[in-house]
Amino acid sequence: DLPGTAKNERRFFCENQISSILLMPIKINDTSFGVFTLIGLKSKKFWTEKLAKRIQFISELLVMGINRYRMDEYLFKRLHEIEKLKEQLESDNITLKNEIILHQQHNEIVGRSQTMKTILSQIEQVALLDTTVLILGETGVGKEVVARALHRLSKRKDRPMVTVNCASLPPTLIESELFGREKGAYTGAMTRMTGRFELADKATLFLDEIGELPKEIQAKLLRVIEQGRFERLGSNKSLKVNVRLIAATNRNLEQEITEGNFRSDLYYRLNVFPIRIPPLRERTEDIPPLIWSFIREFEKKMGKRVEHVTDRGIKALMHYDWPGNARELRNVVEHAMILSNSRTLALFPPVSIPHESNKHIRLEDIEREHILKILLQKGWRISGKEGAAQTLGIKRTTLQSRMKKLGLQRPGDQQSMIEN
């Protein structure tokens, strides 16, 4: 019964002894799923319309079952993915909440680098304990800020933290400053003085620049750490105190031990929980938030408002080496705020003072420093009598050309805002 054009089909049926075949297109909700096929082998089969309808019904049931299974499998897979995303979201949410809490508790510590997040976590870990903490880092990185955060989160926060800068005291006064003195302990000691350890009883004592302590005082400090006891200068009476000690230094204490300037036993007593604060040049991503933190601080003091900082200025500060770290950056922002009369703040990195030992100082840096110095002296007045150009002995146009090349702009200048 096959037409003459169906030669391939006829050959296939004959080779497989197929005598009759029923092809039933399967559709559910106007969607085609394929063809349900029944074949008769050897003997001919006559497919009645009634049988065809039953077969169609059965085939649709089978396809619906298969489709239902596939849909359930698809939904299960998607549900599993949703559960995984939900778990990830909850985990991220917990992490974010912890970070928010961490930054709220340490609002003095500004930074978004991973290094600063690690330092905040270290503060959280040790703050509630009475463990001695040694804070290490270059000058100006914020060691005292970390010490204040440790005290603020400690069980001793209800009492003020007592601070001693060991570098600012002459060696002859350090002992009496730390441990106190009795009246007449030495010539000129007209009254009895309470030492810092007594003042810090049941509180926190922060010894900044501890690497500057004379070795004879180091031995007495070691005894206080080990026993909690000391004597006032000029007294034999032993006093006992309960002090949580935090120390800080910008020196390499291990090298100081090697050179014989610092006691190794004291170092090991102090180095129970070290926290190293990296210099600003190692965490440049913290510079923009620090800039804005300092801007907000000086806005309140100076009664000024800053809405923008030039991109060129921020990039220049991020490429500067910052030997003075965050303290130096704060001074730069304060200087710019004093000079600015605009809502856009123009920032410039400080010009390094050339040293005789520095063989790599560039002529351009010296020129930039000198021109900037004259511009500041003249209040950024370029032309006219007593202007910067006349003082420098060059034409106004030449000075403007040099300023453009050296990246010198008057703070708040509209032109600089357009260029940036």
Side-chain angles (χ1 to χ4, degrees):
D1 297 332
L2 289 171
T5 54
K7 292 179 181 181
N8 293 334
E9 287 81 357
R10 183 188 295 274
R11 184 169 62 252
F12 176 78
F13 292 156
C14 290
E15 289 174 356
N16 292 280
Q17 298 182 339
I18 296 173
S19 58
S20 57
I21 185 168
L22 173 66
L23 304 173
M24 187 71 67
I26 305 301
K27 282 189 176 184
I28 299 177
N29 297 329
D30 295 327
T31 301
S32 296
F33 283 89
V35 179
F36 189 84
T37 305
L38 283 176
I39 58 173
L41 299 174
K42 297 182 181 179
S43 60
K44 263 192 173 184
K45 178 69 177 176
F46 180 73
W47 311 100
T48 64
E49 186 179 352
K50 185 177 181 182
L51 179 61
K53 286 184 177 180
R54 289 180 178 179
I55 291 171
Q56 184 181 22
F57 178 72
I58 293 170
S59 66
E60 288 178 353
L61 286 178
L62 287 172
V63 171
M64 287 177 66
I66 293 170
N67 189 49
R68 176 69 178 272
Y69 172 78
R70 289 178 177 174
M71 185 59 69
D72 287 347
E73 194 177 45
Y74 173 81
L75 291 174
F76 178 78
K77 184 179 179 181
R78 290 294 177 266
L79 185 62
H80 182 64
E81 290 177 357
I82 291 170
E83 286 295 328
K84 286 182 67 177
L85 289 171
K86 183 181 176 183
E87 290 175 5
Q88 181 65 40
L89 184 62
E90 289 176 350
S91 175
D92 292 345
N93 200 21
I94 291 170
T95 303
L96 183 60
K97 284 181 178 178
N98 289 338
E99 284 191 12
I100 292 172
I101 292 171
L102 208 60
H103 284 285
Q104 285 177 342
Q105 290 175 332
H106 307 295
N107 51 9
E108 276 189 289
I109 301 175
V110 179
R112 61 189 179 198
S113 64
Q114 186 56 49
T115 305
M116 293 309 297
K117 290 177 182 178
T118 301
I119 290 173
L120 292 178
S121 297
Q122 289 177 319
I123 292 171
E124 289 284 323
Q125 291 170 339
V126 76
L128 289 173
L129 307 175
D130 283 339
T131 305
T132 301
V133 178
L134 178 62
I135 306 171
L136 305 167
E138 295 179 4
T139 299
V141 292
K143 297 186 288 293
E144 187 173 353
V145 174
V146 171
R148 286 199 298 266
L150 285 166
H151 175 70
R152 187 170 59 252
L153 294 178
S154 72
K155 295 178 288 187
R156 303 167 181 261
K157 62 184 177 182
D158 293 332
R159 297 204 62 191
M161 181 178 78
V162 179
T163 300
V164 179
N165 189 321
C166 302
S168 65
L169 296 172
T172 53
L173 295 179
I174 289 179
E175 185 175 0
S176 59
E177 192 71 29
L178 289 176
F179 309 117
R181 66 162 188 261
E182 293 292 342
K183 181 179 178 180
Y186 53 83
T187 304
M190 307 301 294
T191 59
R192 190 178 77 173
M193 187 181 80
T194 302
R196 300 297 178 92
F197 268 97
E198 283 184 79
L199 290 174
D201 188 27
K202 297 182 178 61
T204 302
L205 178 63
F206 175 50
L207 298 180
D208 198 8
E209 304 301 344
I210 197 167
E212 306 288 340
L213 275 181
K215 289 198 73 174
E216 59 271 18
I217 305 300
Q218 293 177 25
K220 295 186 177 182
L221 177 60
L222 180 63
R223 182 193 173 198
V224 179
I225 296 174
E226 290 178 339
Q227 303 175 10
R229 291 186 175 276
F230 65 93
E231 294 86 30
R232 292 196 193 103
L233 196 63
S235 172
N236 294 323
K237 183 181 178 181
S238 180
L239 301 174
K240 185 172 179 62
V241 289
N242 178 7
V243 174
R244 198 267 180 88
L245 186 65
I246 300 173
T249 182
N250 61 359
R251 291 192 175 192
N252 184 336
L253 293 184
E254 293 179 355
Q255 183 178 343
E256 293 292 317
I257 292 170
T258 304
E259 295 174 357
N261 298 323
F262 202 83
R263 294 177 62 105
S264 59
D265 47 3
L266 176 59
Y267 170 71
Y268 295 127
R269 281 289 183 180
L270 294 173
N271 198 39
V272 179
F273 194 92
I275 297 177
R276 179 185 177 273
I277 308 175
L280 204 54
R281 60 182 173 274
E282 293 181 11
R283 49 187 180 96
T284 53
E285 61 267 46
D286 290 335
I287 291 176
L290 277 169
I291 289 172
W292 281 107
S293 174
F294 295 142
I295 287 173
R296 296 301 175 228
E297 175 189 347
F298 293 122
E299 278 181 336
K300 295 177 182 178
K301 292 180 179 179
M302 300 180 186
K304 295 182 177 181
R305 178 66 180 171
V306 174
E307 296 177 353
H308 304 286
V309 177
T310 60
D311 291 338
R312 184 184 296 178
I314 291 179
K315 289 178 181 177
L317 297 191
M318 291 183 72
H319 285 90
Y320 180 66
D321 200 40
W322 296 112
N325 293 291
R327 185 183 295 127
E328 186 182 11
L329 176 61
R330 184 178 183 275
N331 294 340
V332 168
V333 174
E334 182 177 13
H335 182 266
M337 289 281 289
I338 293 171
L339 296 177
S340 177
N341 293 316
S342 169
R343 292 182 181 270
T344 296
L345 187 65
L347 294 170
F348 303 99
V351 179
S352 300
I353 300 173
H355 297 279
E356 291 181 6
S357 60
N358 191 343
K359 299 179 182 179
H360 304 288
I361 193 72
R362 298 184 305 169
L363 180 62
E364 183 178 313
D365 294 333
I366 299 174
E367 182 182 12
R368 183 182 183 279
E369 179 188 7
H370 183 60
I371 292 176
L372 179 60
K373 180 181 178 181
I374 298 300
L375 286 169
L376 292 174
Q377 288 177 356
K378 302 301 179 180
W380 290 86
R381 184 182 175 187
I382 295 173
S383 59
K385 189 177 180 181
E386 301 299 326
Q390 185 184 63
T391 304
L392 291 167
I394 58 178
K395 294 180 180 179
R396 174 184 58 82
T397 53
T398 303
L399 175 57
Q400 289 174 330
S401 176
R402 298 304 299 162
M403 288 173 61
K404 185 176 182 181
K405 182 178 179 181
L406 296 169
L408 293 172
Q409 302 169 3
R410 180 174 182 171
D413 190 2
Q414 293 296 324
Q415 183 61 31
S416 71
M417 286 189 281
I418 293 171
E419 291 174 357
N420 289 283

